[in-house]
Amino acid sequence: MFGSEADPETKAGIEDVDLSGRTALVTGSTSGLGREAALSLGRLGADIVVHGRDRDAGQRVVDDLEAVGADARFVAADFERPEEVSALAETVREEVGELAVLCNNAGGLFQDNSETDLGVERTFHINHLSPYQLTAELLPALSPGARVITTASVGHRIATLNLDRLAALTGLSPWAAYCRSKLANILFANELARRLVAAGRNVTSNSLHPGIVPGSEFSRALPAPAPQIGELVGEFPTTDSVEDGAATIVYLAASEAVEGVTGKYFARCRERRPAPDAVDAEAQRKLWTRSAELLGIEEPLADAVEG
Ligand SMILES: NC(=O)c1ccc[n+]([C@@H]2O[C@H](COP(=O)([O-])OP(=O)(O)OC[C@H]3O[C@@H](n4cnc5c(N)ncnc54)[C@H](OP(=O)(O)O)[C@@H]3O)[C@@H](O)[C@H]2O)c1
């Protein structure tokens, strides 16, 4: 199915799943993979919260979702700004209620990796810290059986992440900053899975590589043509369509095949083994604690791992 013209739900084998009555928040759904995943989940009957910064693009996605019969609304939040992430979480908690699916998908490869107001390198803040904060603030809203899905990247395989140095780093290229933020995505998704189990929450957390997708905004920022990037990271030296990329997101969001599966990493709707650095339990714990410190918040799900 990958490489075909089919829509993401067909590629993922979930075209008969009925998500009526469930709500999904897809961050970064004003364009690219998030937009495609939002439309797919909407076609399956889910109510969708569309997110991004671009209000016009967000409204267009809402219009497209309503055209396929889905209930949809757009909520803007800039992931460089913790107060906007909090406002997004508050809107969802108070106006949407329960979430069955949280797709942590917003992110990208940014040319500017100076510090944000938190004193953190920008790519790390947008791609990792904000989804961490959003997930923490949405924990009370995740319904039994809910699924948290984090869009990482195969780029994590060539990343190095020093958790003691997260401020603006001289000489850190945008690509290196991107890859280390994507390693952080998998470390985060795995630690979240572990803590949810320890807390007795019936909520799963998985991460994925969506493919190398030239059809999205992201690819215009890559340091080399997409097929070369595929070769560089040693996996799938081919390119994927936006529908291919969204297929693994919606597979993790809705397939019965992954019901109860947690703490795993996927590509092309199949479980894969991530790089050894991504399954380093000590690094997972340290990133979790360090992220809370950087945000100045209490460590989420701390009780679950104490004593
Ligand atoms: N395309 C690929 O080949 C590829 C490969 C591996 C992983 N990924 C990952 O897939 C995810 C989606 O990327 P894409 O390829 O679909 O890129 P995209 O088309 O550029 O979409 C990125 C989305 O993130 C949102 N976003 C970016 N910066 C933001 C910020 N500061 N605050 C809030 N939202 C922000 C954008 O919304 P606004 O513009 O409205 O703010 C947009 O909706 C990313 O996490 C990316 O790292 C992509």
Side-chain angles (χ1 to χ4, degrees):
M1 273 290 180
F2 283 85
S4 74
E5 300 277 301
D7 55 33
E9 58 270 30
T10 306
K11 289 175 195 279
I14 56 166
E15 66 274 27
D16 296 328
V17 170
D18 181 5
L19 297 178
S20 304
R22 300 192 210 170
T23 303
L25 164 58
V26 184
T27 70
S29 46
T30 52
S31 67
L33 304 168
R35 174 183 178 278
E36 206 58 43
L39 290 174
S40 176
L41 296 173
R43 283 192 293 268
L44 296 175
D47 298 344
I48 307 292
V49 182
V50 177
H51 157 265
R53 290 164 302 175
D54 184 333
R55 290 173 188 276
D56 293 338
Q59 188 54 49
R60 285 194 293 276
V61 179
V62 168
D63 292 345
D64 290 345
L65 279 161
E66 288 176 347
V68 298
D71 259 16
R73 60 181 297 172
F74 172 69
V75 185
D78 186 342
F79 272 17
E80 276 185 45
R81 305 193 179 284
E83 67 280 9
E84 294 194 21
V85 175
S86 284
L88 167 61
E90 191 178 334
T91 302
V92 171
R93 283 195 313 267
E94 294 187 357
E95 295 178 24
V96 175
E98 288 202 328
L99 268 190
V101 176
L102 167 58
C103 295
N104 283 319
N105 169 79
L109 201 169
F110 305 103
Q111 298 307 314
D112 173 8
N113 58 16
S114 57
E115 286 181 23
T116 62
D117 291 348
L118 278 187
V120 176
E121 182 273 315
R122 175 167 271 98
T123 309
F124 184 82
H125 190 161
I126 296 170
N127 289 1
H128 161 68
L129 262 194
S130 287
Y132 171 93
Q133 180 194 349
L134 180 68
T135 306
E137 296 189 17
L138 285 175
L139 284 171
L142 296 172
S143 59
R147 301 179 182 193
V148 180
I149 297 118
T150 300
T151 307
S153 167
V154 70
H156 82 275
R157 294 192 187 282
I158 54 170
T160 46
L161 176 62
N162 179 347
L163 290 166
D164 298 318
R165 291 187 68 220
L166 296 171
L169 302 171
T170 318
L172 185 74
S173 73
W175 176 237
Y178 175 76
C179 291
R180 72 181 198 139
S181 75
K182 293 289 143 181
L183 173 58
N185 285 159
I186 306 177
L187 292 166
F188 155 74
N190 290 352
E191 181 68 7
L192 175 63
R194 194 172 72 81
R195 288 181 185 235
L196 286 166
V197 169
R201 293 284 305 267
N202 175 18
V203 174
T204 61
S205 165
N206 293 293
S207 60
L208 71 127
H209 166 58
I212 309 278
V213 185
S216 77
E217 285 299 318
F218 166 86
S219 290
R220 287 189 254 289
L222 285 173
Q228 278 179 32
I229 295 291
E231 278 171 36
L232 178 68
V233 293
E235 199 171 311
F236 309 138
T238 55
T239 58
D240 299 276
S241 65
V242 183
E243 291 81 3
D244 288 333
T248 307
I249 300 176
V250 299
Y251 174 76
L252 290 171
S255 175
E256 285 178 9
V258 285
E259 196 171 331
V261 173
T262 194
K264 305 293 184 193
Y265 168 77
F266 290 75
R268 291 193 171 180
C269 298
R270 280 184 41 211
E271 190 188 327
R272 310 276 166 164
R273 195 191 297 266
D277 281 358
V279 290
D280 177 339
E282 185 52 38
Q284 289 166 11
R285 269 192 293 276
K286 189 168 178 184
L287 175 67
W288 190 272
T289 302
R290 188 85 185 97
S291 299
E293 287 167 4
L294 288 167
L295 286 161
I297 61 172
E298 280 190 28
E299 193 172 311
L301 296 169
D303 295 349
V305 291
E306 280 167 6

